[in-house]
Amino acid sequence: DKKPNPGVPERNNQKNMHYFAFKRNTLYCENTRIKKLAEGFGTPLYVYSERTIREHYNKIKKAFKEVKPLICYSVKANSNLSILKIIKSLGGGLDIVSGGELYRAKAVKCRPEKIVYASVGKSEAEIKDALKYGILMFNVESAAELERINSACIKMKKKAKVSLRFNPDVEPGTHTYITTGKKETKFGLDEGSLKKIFLESKRYKSIVLCGIHIHIGSQITTSHPFLKALKKVSGIVKYLRTKNIAIDYLNIGGGLGIVYGEEKPQTAADFAKKVLPLIKPLSLKLIIEPGRFIVGNAGVLVAKVLYIKDTKSKRFIIVDAAMNDLIRPSLYDAYHTIVGVDKVKGPPGRSSDIVGPVCESGDFLGKDRPLKVKEGDYIAVLGAGAYGFSMSSNYNSRPRPAEVLVKNNKTTLVRKRENYKDLIEKEV
Ligand code: LLP
């Protein structure tokens, strides 16, 4: 299973970076046949490879080993508790953005001093919960939010560590919806506002301003935007030092891109080699928040072909997974490689759109693909480990899929398939 596999793009330009591969013309996850999982657990089904998750995490750890960063996995990418437990077992911390994610972090007993909390809109209840648990720090995005945290601290007689999120106004070269470091986005503070807060930090008696945070976007495939942002950060840190303001942490966020199709993203090692010369001279504790890089290529969404519908203009392959299960193609026009779980010999099939049963024309998983399948076959949408299940919904009253975790030839059901009762359970 270590050979590159035609039809399954090699992940992150590195050998053996994922463990979804064809053996004897059928797709495996590690040493487990995907078809067997589809038959056993039903479809649609999310299948994750534990080994891939571990290897991706370790790639980052190794790339940055000289500065020993705190790697806070971004929970929103895939928040299944079993995945959080894997991260924990590897020594990682968590990047959270809500009370719900804090609840998940507590459920896996993640140590509080390994949790960082971002988001432009933390409610008072969420802030208090995080203070109570004693998280490492908040990443704060406005003066108003800082004020709110400060007053929560006073009420609770606690102090909070805070990094300010800087909006460096750089173009990350990714989809607009996942661009977060440009000035017209809601994220972070511009340089002037950020410096002003640092200079007036005495106003916030219960806050320890201890760092700077950036996160400029997601699925970024080159180091340029990171370097541009880091140069600005470096200037700010130096400026603060001239004002006798010392900070301890630099959090460079997540955003590392992966292979979905033809991308040639930087590897973790390349990335580290480029950014470390800017980071090291600052002598700050480094925090990284990768999400997609760790889990993106560690998951596939398996679906069953319900019907083939030929029209004059094209063929539609109608499957039992839809935009409610994986919204990335509909929402960002994102490309995911789609393969038949069993390889079929002969010339490629008619160019087809792979679509789900949801009543929207935007409900598609892939467009114009030469996929050769017939009714009853299984397909796998690759690269579905990040922002797949975590963005799923019950739209069209569709119960959400089951999730399984594969470790070599062992499979664990890590989330049961929802049923119709679940759909109406909360309604009164
Ligand atoms: N840190 C912060 C503050 C973030 O907002 C995010 C992601 C991350 C870290 C992790 O980014 P990553 O390493 O996964 O790129 N739903 C979109 C992606 C949204 C990303 C949101 N923030 C998608 O499916 O492409």
Side-chain angles (χ1 to χ4, degrees):
D1 63 330
K2 294 207 170 161
K3 284 192 206 101
N5 300 281
V8 182
E10 191 137 305
R11 301 297 162 217
N12 295 330
N13 289 339
Q14 294 180 16
K15 288 198 180 74
N16 311 324
M17 276 300 283
H18 70 101
Y19 293 94
F20 293 92
F22 283 100
K23 284 188 267 187
R24 294 173 297 278
N25 290 322
T26 190
L27 188 64
Y28 275 73
C29 173
E30 302 192 14
N31 276 322
T32 302
R33 265 174 60 214
I34 297 269
K35 191 172 179 177
K36 200 181 94 199
L37 298 179
E39 286 165 354
F41 293 98
T43 51
L45 179 71
Y46 273 101
V47 179
Y48 306 125
S49 151
E50 173 158 348
R51 189 169 175 190
T52 311
I53 296 171
R54 290 182 181 277
E55 288 203 10
H56 282 96
Y57 179 92
N58 284 326
K59 291 277 174 201
I60 293 185
K61 186 174 170 189
K62 194 170 158 215
F64 283 92
K65 70 171 185 297
E66 49 179 323
V67 294
K68 295 203 173 60
L70 174 59
I71 303 173
C72 290
Y73 165 70
S74 194
V75 174
K76 64 177 86 65
N78 188 324
S79 32
N80 189 288
L81 298 180
S82 299
I83 288 180
L84 304 187
K85 280 185 193 162
I86 298 173
I87 301 295
K88 183 183 162 191
S89 75
L90 291 164
L94 301 176
D95 153 45
I96 61 167
V97 289
S98 67
E101 288 190 353
L102 176 64
Y103 188 79
R104 288 181 177 276
K106 289 196 266 193
V108 298
K109 298 192 171 64
C110 175
R111 280 165 49 194
E113 65 274 19
K114 288 189 173 185
I115 298 177
V116 293
Y117 186 168
S119 144
V120 293
K122 305 168 188 84
S123 71
E124 181 159 341
E126 288 175 317
I127 292 166
K128 284 184 172 163
D129 276 353
L131 283 171
K132 202 163 147 199
Y133 195 50
I135 62 162
L136 178 61
M137 72 178 78
F138 293 96
N139 294 323
V140 165
E141 316 212 13
S142 65
E145 189 198 337
L146 197 58
E147 205 74 73
R148 182 77 48 89
I149 297 176
N150 190 51
S151 61
C153 283
I154 294 168
K155 283 182 208 155
M156 294 177 74
K157 298 192 175 59
K158 286 196 187 272
K159 288 219 164 205
K161 278 203 227 161
V162 163
S163 280
L164 292 183
R165 178 162 174 183
F166 171 46
N167 182 326
D169 193 24
V170 298
E171 172 60 66
T174 184
H175 193 282
T176 340
Y177 290 3
I178 52 175
T179 293
T180 50
K182 287 194 77 182
K183 65 175 187 307
E184 48 284 347
T185 66
K186 66 178 173 179
F187 297 101
L189 293 147
D190 64 67
E191 186 166 341
S193 313
L194 182 122
K195 283 179 175 167
K196 187 159 176 273
I197 294 177
F198 269 112
L199 293 172
E200 295 172 354
S201 64
K202 290 208 174 62
R203 282 182 47 188
Y204 308 98
K205 297 250 176 317
S206 299
I207 302 282
V208 185
L209 282 184
C210 66
I212 294 181
H213 173 226
I214 51 169
H215 172 74
I216 56 174
S218 197
Q219 184 58 12
I220 304 171
T221 50
T222 72
S223 59
H224 304 295
F226 290 101
L227 294 175
K228 250 178 139 170
L230 283 171
K231 275 183 196 142
K232 294 191 181 185
V233 170
S234 171
I236 296 174
V237 174
K238 284 173 193 158
Y239 167 83
L240 294 177
R241 284 180 180 157
T242 66
K243 302 283 175 198
N244 283 323
I245 299 169
I247 57 168
D248 299 321
Y249 293 93
L250 170 60
N251 181 335
I252 61 169
L256 286 181
I258 62 166
V259 177
Y260 285 104
E262 299 294 310
E263 301 90 340
K264 299 253 179 299
Q266 59 197 330
T267 62
D270 294 339
F271 176 63
K273 216 185 273 166
K274 289 271 171 55
V275 296
L276 278 174
L278 281 174
I279 293 171
K280 275 197 294 184
L282 300 175
S283 305
L284 297 170
K285 280 176 218 146
L286 181 67
I287 301 175
I288 321 181
E289 304 171 332
R292 188 192 312 268
F293 186 89
I294 293 176
V295 291
N297 285 317
V300 302
L301 173 62
V302 184
K304 191 177 191 165
V305 177
L306 297 176
Y307 304 105
I308 308 280
K309 177 172 170 175
D310 273 310
T311 69
K312 271 188 189 135
S313 54
K314 58 168 81 178
R315 167 174 289 182
F316 293 97
I317 296 171
I318 301 163
V319 299
D320 64 358
M323 67 189 286
N324 71 294
D325 305 304
L326 177 69
I327 203 172
R328 301 195 71 258
S330 309
L331 188 58
Y332 316 113
D333 226 347
Y335 179 92
H336 284 258
T337 299
I338 301 177
V339 297
V341 165
D342 286 319
K343 265 194 183 166
V344 182
K345 291 215 176 73
R350 186 177 173 197
S351 178
S352 313
D353 286 3
I354 293 95
V355 302
V358 163
C359 305
E360 300 229 11
S361 300
D363 176 31
F364 62 91
L365 298 170
K367 286 198 162 166
D368 302 318
R369 309 293 177 86
L371 198 59
K372 201 170 190 177
V373 285
K374 55 181 188 323
E375 259 184 51
D377 285 353
Y378 294 106
I379 60 147
V381 184
L382 307 184
Y387 309 107
F389 188 90
S390 67
M391 292 180 82
S392 65
S393 76
N394 290 125
Y395 186 42
N396 274 210
S397 286
R398 290 169 49 84
R400 281 183 292 178
E403 294 174 284
V404 296
L405 179 66
V406 171
K407 186 177 186 177
N408 197 10
N409 55 7
K410 262 187 32 213
T411 302
T412 315
L413 177 67
V414 293
R415 195 180 201 276
K416 291 180 199 161
R417 182 177 304 286
E418 289 180 351
N419 58 32
Y420 295 143
K421 225 169 131 202
D422 295 325
L423 293 177
I424 59 168
E425 195 189 45
K426 290 285 183 279
E427 289 172 36
V428 289

